[in-house]
Each structure stands twice: as C-alpha cells, then as structure tokens.
Amino acid sequence: MKNRQLLFLRNVILFTFTAFGGAQAHMALLLKYFVKNTPFVSEEDLLELNALAQILPGPASTQTLVGIAYKVGGLKLSLITFLIWIIPSAAMMTFVAITFARVDQKAGFANILQYIQPVALGIVAYAAFHLSKKVLVNQMAIMLAVASVVATLVLQNAYVFPLAILIGGIVSSAIGSPREETDLRVRLFSNVNPRKLAYLIGVLLFLALLGALINTTSPFSLPIRLFENFYRNGIFIFGGGQVLVPLMFTEFVQMKQYLMASDFLSGFALQQALPGPTFSFTSYVGALSMKNFGYGVFGQIAGGIIAVVGINLPGLILVLFIVPFWDDLKKITRIKYSLAGINAVSVGFIVAAFMLLLKPIGLDPVSMTIMTVTFLILNFTRISPPFLVIAVMLLGYFI
C-alpha cells in the first residue's frame, strides 16, 4: 500500500508540471495519469468525482485530484497531494508579483509584456463565448446571464457575486427538479454535521466582521481583509478559473483598486504560460496587493500564501466532507438542476468582466487585432494559451 501511494504521488508530480491549458486539458491528463497509466481509480469514479467538483464551489481540477487522492489513501494523502499540486505555480506567481514592480520599468521587460494584455483579453473572450454556447441553451439561462451582467455593471459590489450565484441556483432548481426526492434528501442531509457547516460559514462572517472593525492603519488590516475576500470567493465561485479571474478583476481592480488593470492583465497572461491550477493566480494578486500598500518582501510572500490558502480552503473542505457520502448525493437531481442556473450566472459574470477588462485597453488597433486573433486561434485551432503567451512575449522582445 505504501508503494502504491508513493507511485500515486509520483504521478501527481508529473501531472502538476504538465497540466497546461485549464480544466478541460486537466481532465484528459487526470484520465491518463490516474486511470490509463496506473488504475488508481476507475474511469467511472473519475467522471463522478469531476461531476461532484462541478456542482461544488471552488477549483474543479483541484477538487477532482484531491478526491482521487482521498479514495486512494485517505485524508493524509489528499492533503499531501493538494500541497504538491498548488505550491509550484503559487510560488512562481508570488515570485512574479514580488519582482514585477522592480523590473516593469526596464525597457526590455516592458517590451516583452506589451502584447500580453490583449492576449489575456482574447482568452477571456473565448471563455465567455465557449461557455455561452454550452450553458445558455434556454430562455431561463439567458435571462439569468443577462441579469448577472446588469447587476455586476450597475451595482459593482463584491456581494453581488454570491447573491447572484445563490439566486440562480435556487431559480433553476425550483423550475427543473422533480418532487420525488424528499425521502432521499432527508436521509442524506441527516448525515450533515451542522456544527461543521456552521464553522465553514462562521469563519467567513468572523473575518468579514474583523476586517470591518480593525483599524485600517494596522499592519494586520490588509492581510485579514485579503483572507476574507479570497475565502468568500472560494465559497461562492462556481465554474473554476474561467469565472475566478473575471470576478477578481471586478473586485480587486474595479471596486477596491488594490492593483492596476495593466498589472492584473499581465499577471493573468503570464499565469496562462505556467502549468498547474488557475486558482494559483490568486497568489499573484495577494502578493502584489500587499506590495502596493507598502509591505516588504515577507509581507508580499504572506499575501501570496494568504490568497492561495483562502481561495482553496472552502473547496478543499467541501470535497473532503462530501466524498464519503457522494454515492447518495449524486442521486439528487435538485442539485443537478441548480447547476444550470449557477452556470448561467457565471457566464454573465464573465461577459460583464470582459466589458470591464476592455476599458483599460481601449480601441487601440494593434491591441484589438491581437485580441481578435487570439480569440480566433483558440476557437478554431487546437493551439493552447501557453503557446500564444510565449509567442507574443517573443514578438514584443524582437520588435
């Protein structure tokens, strides 16, 4: 059994350093490393764990990988797996954030990054288009998406996101679910420990209250507020990294102005060239936010850790909490139907974020051309985002 777990961890390392291209590509690699090459779980188990991750808030690839680890070796192996998966890309993005401000004034580095921002916008446009085709398949989904766009642009409040997610899930669940599942739901949720659920929500409320009450001049103010921000987003983000990045832009750039739009877009584009989870981009945002408020290197490292732990903690807790009784949970179609509304609202968030992301770039012909070409390449070819990012970095360097 020990040798099997060591072999599993070896495959986790291989997966970590080859997992480019987002959740869809990650799924193919999960199938390769944990089903085909070595059958740690069956293909059916993998698909079911991925389905569970899709209906839970948080990073889908991370939750699927952790769920596999739990089935193979229990809690200890799942936590080790999580650390192996998240640390390399989070450390790299924290390093980028720490060094970014020191080198972005140098002409050579500025030239390398000059075309990255429109590529990032093209990637967001592709995500919005791709998900819209898949999700907006009926009148209810379209109405929910439009409503979330309007609410985001008009209200511009961070709590619009969780409220819209909840409303979308409730509406689609109420419309689509059958009534014949009462006994199953009662039996299932009788197993839910209300004390643990209270802890999950209580941490969020405590941090929000502490962040509001603590003096903003305190050195602990920003770290506490950052952890609350990322922890809250980790509870309410459905749809993985494609939804995370637009929501972060709206909250941390548009609303709170923790960092500049150009810095955010450059970091997002660079993250696309790295393997690993998209959620590790939060470490860049956390570290750069700390730097922009005057914190030193150790404070920036702390910001990177706070962000990546905060965003991943709710999803990690939920998947480890639910996997033991997933066999019953997956039978409840009310959960499945709620996902349709949640996804529709998430698409609306991405569309709204695209409109906000377009403002700092403007209508510059070169930027618009690069953005359009990026969208077309992603939509009509099999070329993945890392290659596009590397290509425009080389273009900026040689031109």
Side-chain angles (χ1 to χ4, degrees), residues 235-288:
I235 290 178
F236 291 108
I237 285 180
F238 293 81
Q242 293 174 315
V243 177
L244 169 72
V245 172
L247 295 192
M248 286 173 54
F249 180 86
T250 305
E251 178 167 357
F252 293 104
V253 178
Q254 294 290 131
M255 297 178 186
K256 298 180 177 177
Q257 299 180 348
Y258 284 172
L259 64 163
M260 296 172 58
S262 59
D263 294 347
F264 182 95
L265 287 170
S266 296
F268 169 53
L270 287 171
Q271 194 278 329
Q272 298 297 302
L274 296 176
T278 304
F279 273 52
S280 65
F281 176 60
T282 56
S283 58
Y284 171 88
V285 175
L288 198 57

Side-chain angles (χ1 to χ4, degrees), residues 312-329:
N312 281 284
L313 189 58
L316 183 65
I317 292 172
L318 285 171
V319 74
L320 293 176
F321 176 61
I322 291 175
V323 163
F325 54 92
W326 171 234
D327 287 340
D328 279 338
L329 182 65

Side-chain angles (χ1 to χ4, degrees), residues 296-317:
V297 172
F298 290 106
Q300 295 165 47
I301 293 174
I305 296 172
I306 286 169
V308 78
V309 170
I311 198 73
N312 281 284
L313 189 58
L316 183 65
I317 292 172

